[in-house]
Amino acid sequence: MKQPAWRPRVRAASIHLGASAVVAALAAALTFGLWYPWPYSMLAGGLGLFVLVCSVDVIMGPLITLVIFDTRKPWAELRRDLVVVVLLQLGALGYGLHVMFQARPVVLAFEGQRFRVVSAVDVLMDELSKAPPSLQALSITGPVVVGTEAPTDADAQLKAIDMALGGFDLGMRPQFWRPWDAAARKNALAAAK
């Protein structure tokens, strides 16, 4: 039995690698141009997550093509095999982009003494309707800068402490978000000194 020629396999894998790189570049433009603008690609871990998702996707598809591509197969079978590889690759990329969308930074919250980058999955969604009207929708174009206002009555303070111990600090709770205005800037500058 004659071994299949490597030249067509390498050519097919190279074409697949080029197409995968173009799709990865488009995904990068979406991810870093819209969801993770600089410097949040570094602060929120978007760069590392993107490299993981795309490197696996860009490398595995062409490698599988290199393995399965055989010019001795009937055209219909070869086409079916390649379509399955591409569909699996696109499914994996779609899932990876979905995870990145869910982890995108949506708020940069000033919490009295520090700024906190809050991702979409960290926002307490039950309280989103209690946020000021301009802050009731999560951003898809990078985080919105907000101030926070701590509760003033004793019961609300106790609940806020309990929620913070459970992992939901003020910056993650929309009911405490306030628009970034001159007063919020003044508070941030005072805390910075």
Side-chain angles (χ1 to χ4, degrees), residues 138-152:
L138 298 181
S139 171
I140 61 168
T141 58
V144 174
V145 181
V146 300
T148 58
E149 185 176 311
T152 53

Side-chain angles (χ1 to χ4, degrees), residues 9-114:
R9 286 178 179 228
V10 170
R11 183 172 182 269
S14 298
I15 291 169
H16 194 154
L17 180 63
S20 296
V22 168
V23 171
L26 293 173
L30 171 70
T31 301
F32 300 116
L34 199 60
W35 301 337
Y36 291 84
W38 176 260
Y40 301 102
S41 57
M42 301 301 287
L43 293 174
L47 182 61
L49 185 57
F50 181 80
V51 168
L52 176 67
V53 167
C54 279
S55 62
V56 169
D57 205 46
V58 167
I59 292 170
M60 290 308 295
L63 281 179
I64 294 171
T65 297
L66 182 68
V67 171
I68 67 166
F69 193 87
D70 189 350
T71 55
R72 296 176 300 172
K73 289 182 182 178
W75 173 241
E77 184 180 336
L78 184 59
R79 184 176 57 202
R80 181 202 63 214
D81 291 349
L82 293 174
V83 165
V84 167
V85 170
V86 169
L87 288 177
L88 288 172
Q89 192 177 9
L90 289 174
L93 179 64
Y95 176 73
L97 289 176
H98 172 71
V99 168
M100 292 197 70
F101 180 77
Q102 294 299 319
R104 77 192 185 282
V106 293
V107 168
L108 178 62
F110 180 67
E111 295 179 334
Q113 297 296 318
R114 67 180 178 266

